[in-house]
Amino acid sequence: MQIIQIALFILISVASISLFLVQAKRIYDNIMLGRKEKIHDDPIWGIQQMLLIAFGQKKMFKITSAALLHLVIYVSFLITQIELIEVFVDGFTGGHRSVYHFFENHRWVFFQHLYYLSINMIEILSVLAFFATIAFLWRRNILKVPRLSMSELNGWPKLDANLILVFELALIIFIFSMNIGDRALQLKGTSAHYPVLNGGGFIVSGLIAPAFQNLPEGLLIGLERFGWWGHILLVLVFLNYIPNSKHLHLMLAFPNTYFSRKEPKGEMINMPGVMNEVKAMFDPSFTPPEVEGEVKFGAKDATDLSWKSLLDAYACTECGRCTAVCPANQTGKLLSPRLIMMRTRDRIEDIGKGIREHGPEFSDNKSLLGDYITKEEILACTTCNACVEECPVTISPLNIILELRRSLVMEASDAPAEWNTMFTNIENNQAPWQFSPSDRMKWADDL
Amino acid sequence: MSENKVPVMAHMLAEGKVPDILFWVGCAGSFDQRAQKVTVAFIKILNNLGINYAVLGTEEACTGDPARRAGNEFVFQMLAQQNIATLNGYGIRKIVTTCPHCFNIIKNEYPALGGKYEVVHHSQLLQSLIDEGRLKIKGGAFKGKKVTYHDSCYLGRANDVYEAPRDVIRALDADLVEMRSCGKRGMCCGAGGAQVFKEEERGKLRVNTKRTQQALEVDPDYLAVACPYCNMMLSDGVKEVENTKVKVIDLAELVAQANEL
């Protein structure tokens, strides 16, 4: 029985970790389909951003209630990873609480205390996380917080969000059934495989276990194994679910905040190609440097976007804080910054899939602009940066919108007529309105 | 009045004078009737304090901001490079402007094109003049008046200038009240990103209508702005609801009126 469990454990872990690596590679390849761009060359600053914003959750706290609930689940998730070390050791060796017994055998008392501290923290945080998860489900499905129940989330995004929360509840239940079963067996004292830990029971399960100790041993072993296997299997399933879910943010928030943009939010990315062309127009002695490859103005498709915008799309957890503060969205326009990110991710996934199936020349005659994001959406943006400011993981929907606009106006020449008039006025009169440049100082006449 | 003459860069150069700071008036400040009043108010403050400044006059051209934000990089590059040639030709080092869009683009986007200047918004200049004690505000006109400040996106989120405009209002002895959505969370007036140059897309209401409603919630006497486009949008919004109490007013006008300039 023991040996079957070990073999099964090794087989399942190796298979799921391999599958995860394949999926991670797929996402990496998709992101690298984007345009090359240097974001910054200041690793110290990047790490600071990552520690503050991703690890420290700084920007989450723009909404206190959601931030606290999220913090509980986040910290509990992080701390639970400690226990995973022992789960793997036990799984590979067929042992039971191997890490604790290792410390005990070596009389490393400090580490034995540390072990108890860790498990007790996991237990306390798991209880808190259980209620936080219930609160999240409630906010989403009963309270119907507007940004979490908008129709743009109908279908998979809504299901995805709820599935993750149910996963979390299940994970917590597994942890407790493992610890309670274990402790009850210790108290019963009849199974050699479950020797009493000399530190006593754990803080939460220790309170509940006595009520279970009179159950038959077989049932208790079943409860402990159910918890142990359930825990690790769910972790491995979750690992492979994440790359296909909005929940990828729990990994990609870190690189995404590291690659935050250092420039002020108001700064638009320069187009050196156009700059040099215009420079040559003014100064015939200036020869623009040769440009490699096809010259494109802005982004028509997801592959024309900077790789950072694609990383942004994968790091988005669809919380909708951006959409909630978007002035266009608040006044009933079609534009939703969250949807810009979701559609960008959909598009690059479709392109990546196409390339894997049909080779690098793959084309489906579709493009991000037009088939996934409409002209009406990108024209409604006031470039106010509210979405960028609000994002807890420093995503910029604005960069995507502006690149799409560049393509719309310069490649497709499809600007609204009023904008074309404005362009002409600027060119002819050096002002967006039809005034004569010689009247530029008329205001001073009244002085 | 002779004390309100406006020094033009070309004339100053001919007289061998060098200004300490260039006042970039901007297209709105030059041509829009409402914004012209702000330009005049700011000129009065500069003249009153004897600041050594100049304007480019007819040599000034659109910064290219609306073209760039609307996606037309060619028009932007043409205007920007033309302006940079003018500014560099005069050896300009420091620029002040009453328009956050001009402020943002000259400060952040001209350097990549070879135009490197110290750029301040007029709220920052006013604040530093107050701090230095050069600009003294006579209390009285706005004492006890309820003033709310609408953050311009291109000043606030775009460049993290939140306090300078508020400090100027506080210096007036006015009662500064904040809207529910202010500072980093301040809602846009609806003009930016070249929106002001076209009709809005389909929707339930206009952005400026919504923002005006938010401002009226705090029932202010004055709705202070620091941007000519916010000024246009919110003035329209206030007109739309036929509110005759609240006045949309620029920081420069507040200061000029307080000092009876």
Side-chain angles (χ1 to χ4, degrees):
Chain A
M1 184 62 193
Q2 187 89 326
I3 200 78
I4 297 173
Q5 283 204 41
I6 297 176
L8 208 59
F9 179 81
I10 293 175
L11 189 74
I12 293 172
S13 332
V14 171
S16 23
I17 291 169
S18 311
L19 182 60
F20 170 73
L21 291 175
V22 170
Q23 299 209 68
K25 172 78 168 55
R26 183 196 86 208
I27 288 166
Y28 177 81
D29 289 345
N30 284 355
I31 292 171
M32 287 304 130
L33 289 172
R35 188 171 48 77
K36 287 191 183 58
E37 190 199 357
K38 183 138 194 85
I39 306 298
H40 64 72
D41 44 15
D42 191 346
I44 306 276
W45 184 83
I47 289 167
Q48 278 173 352
Q49 299 307 300
M50 191 168 82
L51 289 177
L52 270 173
I53 301 171
F55 191 75
Q57 312 261 297
K58 185 182 159 198
K59 292 188 81 184
M60 281 298 290
F61 278 85
K62 283 168 173 280
I63 303 178
T64 320
S65 54
L68 288 173
L69 293 171
H70 183 269
L71 185 70
V72 165
I73 294 176
Y74 163 71
V75 175
S76 131
F77 176 82
L78 278 186
I79 303 281
T80 310
Q81 304 315 306
I82 301 173
E83 187 167 22
L84 219 52
I85 300 168
E86 188 172 53
V87 169
F88 271 95
V89 176
D90 286 352
F92 281 117
T93 61
H96 173 67
R97 301 231 181 243
S98 315
V99 174
Y100 183 80
H101 290 302
F102 178 82
F103 296 148
E104 195 179 46
N105 294 340
H106 289 76
R107 298 181 186 282
W108 290 355
V109 180
F110 171 76
F111 284 98
Q112 284 170 249
H113 285 306
L114 199 64
Y115 181 91
Y116 261 88
L117 182 70
S118 313
I119 306 283
N120 285 341
M121 272 169 66
I122 292 171
E123 288 210 334
I124 293 169
L125 283 162
S126 294
V127 173
L128 291 175
F130 187 84
F131 290 111
T133 309
I134 302 274
F136 272 161
L137 280 166
W138 180 69
R139 278 164 62 90
R140 214 169 252 284
N141 301 294
I142 295 163
L143 195 64
K144 293 198 189 293
V145 172
R147 68 184 161 92
L148 303 176
S149 47
M150 290 170 72
S151 62
E152 67 189 40
L153 294 178
N154 285 350
W156 168 244
K158 226 169 226 177
L159 179 65
D160 183 22
N162 282 319
L163 270 177
I164 293 157
L165 294 170
V166 172
F167 268 149
E168 273 164 19
L169 289 181
L171 210 54
I172 294 164
I173 292 167
F174 285 135
I175 288 175
F176 280 112
S177 85
M178 174 175 86
N179 285 353
I180 291 169
D182 188 2
R183 183 63 186 162
L185 283 163
Q186 291 176 31
L187 291 170
K188 211 174 179 66
T190 50
S191 168
H193 194 69
Y194 297 93
V196 177
L197 302 189
N198 60 13
F202 299 122
I203 197 158
V204 179
S205 53
L207 294 175
I208 307 167
F212 284 71
Q213 80 179 84
N214 293 328
L215 292 174
E217 185 182 319
L219 202 63
L220 288 176
I221 293 180
L223 182 68
E224 194 275 342
R225 288 288 88 191
F226 167 76
W228 190 90
W229 275 104
H231 182 188
I232 187 63
L233 286 177
L234 200 57
V235 166
L236 294 172
V237 168
F238 199 47
L239 186 69
N240 282 293
Y241 176 83
I242 289 172
N244 304 294
S245 152
K246 75 183 193 90
H247 231 50
L248 194 53
H249 83 287
L250 70 84
M251 294 175 182
L252 295 190
F254 292 88
N256 209 54
T257 47
Y258 176 87
F259 289 110
S260 296
R261 288 185 191 272
K262 238 181 149 177
E263 296 79 19
K265 286 194 193 67
E267 183 175 336
M268 235 176 116
I269 297 164
N270 193 27
M271 296 182 74
V274 181
M275 177 178 76
N276 289 331
E277 217 172 296
V278 171
K279 206 169 165 186
M281 226 170 68
F282 284 127
D283 174 11
S285 69
F286 173 78
T287 324
E290 284 291 315
V291 188
E292 273 178 61
E294 193 186 351
V295 178
K296 279 185 181 169
F297 301 117
K300 183 169 195 274
D301 212 344
T303 47
D304 304 327
L305 291 168
S306 162
W307 69 272
K308 176 58 170 68
S309 290
L310 301 179
L311 178 61
D312 274 356
Y314 277 112
C316 173
T317 194
E318 300 163 15
C319 72
R321 291 175 181 218
C322 51
T323 294
V325 295
C326 173
N329 194 276
Q330 286 183 70
T331 53
K333 317 293 191 294
L334 214 53
L335 174 63
S336 160
R338 164 171 58 191
L339 212 51
I340 298 285
M341 303 318 299
M342 289 164 69
R343 293 286 175 263
T344 302
R345 178 173 174 163
D346 290 346
R347 179 58 186 159
I348 202 64
E349 282 275 298
D350 288 350
I351 295 174
K353 188 163 177 272
I355 289 176
R356 281 191 306 281
E357 286 169 6
H358 305 283
E361 298 305 314
F362 163 78
S363 163
D364 57 3
N365 294 316
K366 286 184 182 169
S367 59
L368 181 64
L369 175 60
D371 296 300
Y372 291 71
I373 296 171
T374 61
K375 178 181 163 184
E376 184 177 337
E377 290 166 79
I378 60 165
L379 286 181
C381 174
T382 68
T383 70
C384 77
N385 263 306
C387 55
V388 184
E389 174 64 44
E390 207 63 13
C391 180
V393 294
T394 67
I395 289 168
S396 173
L398 179 56
N399 276 335
I400 297 178
I401 294 171
L402 289 172
E403 289 302 318
L404 293 174
R405 269 193 190 176
R406 281 175 164 168
S407 176
L408 181 79
V409 170
M410 290 188 282
E411 293 271 357
S413 304
D414 196 15
E418 297 148 290
W419 274 2
N420 283 329
T421 307
M422 179 259 290
F423 299 148
T424 313
N425 285 334
I426 293 180
E427 277 187 88
N428 296 341
N429 312 321
Q430 284 91 56
W433 305 286
Q434 209 175 10
F435 289 111
S436 163
S438 58
D439 288 346
R440 212 175 172 94
M441 261 198 78
K442 268 205 152 169
W443 55 268
D445 293 352
D446 301 340
L447 281 163
Chain B
M1 278 190 291
S2 59
E3 72 261 30
N4 274 330
K5 266 176 64 182
V6 184
V8 177
M9 195 57 230
H11 303 162
M12 273 186 106
L13 187 75
E15 292 167 21
K17 290 188 208 153
V18 183
D20 297 333
I21 192 163
L22 180 90
F23 171 27
W24 185 273
V25 182
C27 297
S30 302
F31 293 114
D32 177 73
Q33 285 189 339
R34 181 69 191 84
Q36 283 175 338
K37 294 197 171 97
V38 177
T39 306
V40 169
F42 189 58
I43 288 282
K44 284 178 177 171
I45 298 168
L46 294 175
N47 284 346
N48 183 253
L49 295 177
I51 289 178
N52 178 24
Y53 75 98
V55 298
L56 283 177
T58 50
E59 284 186 280
E60 189 186 283
C62 171
T63 59
D65 167 84
R68 189 173 229 197
R69 260 84 198 150
N72 196 329
E73 186 75 3
F74 286 95
V75 171
F76 159 72
Q77 290 284 349
M78 287 198 298
L79 272 291
Q81 293 188 26
Q82 180 191 328
N83 281 325
I84 290 168
T86 310
L87 292 166
N88 289 355
Y90 282 125
I92 301 297
R93 297 242 175 91
K94 189 169 178 184
I95 297 173
V96 62
T97 174
T98 46
C99 174
H101 298 265
C102 300
F103 165 71
N104 174 70
I105 206 163
I106 300 175
K107 177 175 173 285
N108 298 323
E109 297 174 18
Y110 277 22
L113 280 60
K116 298 187 172 80
Y117 323 98
E118 186 195 338
V119 189
V120 293
H121 182 252
H122 74 308
S123 62
Q124 295 172 307
L125 185 73
L126 292 173
Q127 184 211 19
S128 61
L129 289 168
I130 293 169
D131 289 352
E132 289 163 19
R134 278 181 77 182
L135 173 57
K136 292 194 180 60
I137 301 197
K138 295 181 200 159
F142 297 98
K143 198 173 165 62
K145 295 283 185 198
K146 224 186 208 185
V147 181
T148 191
Y149 171 67
H150 163 82
D151 288 274
S152 151
C153 305
Y154 276 83
L155 209 51
R157 282 183 293 270
N159 289 292
D160 283 316
V161 180
Y162 297 106
E163 281 313 304
R166 290 179 166 80
D167 283 347
V168 174
I169 296 171
R170 286 189 195 106
L172 297 168
D173 251 355
D175 177 15
L176 175 63
V177 284
E178 294 290 355
M179 288 180 245
R180 206 153 31 113
S181 127
C182 63
K184 287 189 174 199
R185 277 265 174 89
M187 188 188 176
C188 178
C189 71
Q195 290 299 332
V196 72
F197 300 107
K198 67 165 181 57
E199 245 336 289
E200 282 191 12
E201 319 310 312
R202 293 181 294 145
K204 286 202 289 282
L205 73 168
R206 302 170 68 92
V207 177
N208 64 331
T209 309
K210 173 131 182 143
R211 184 53 172 164
T212 308
Q213 288 168 357
Q214 293 179 353
L216 296 180
E217 277 174 22
V218 298
D219 189 30
D221 299 305
Y222 293 93
L223 172 47
V225 292
C227 168
Y229 294 98
C230 298
N231 198 332
M232 284 179 209
M233 294 307 255
L234 298 175
S235 296
D236 283 353
V238 169
K239 248 177 251 158
E240 196 180 272
V241 292
E242 292 175 5
N243 181 312
T244 48
K245 179 195 165 196
V246 60
K247 288 178 195 68
V248 182
I249 192 163
D250 189 274
L251 295 175
E253 295 175 303
L254 282 170
V255 172
Q257 284 182 25
N259 284 359
E260 293 158 6
L261 294 174

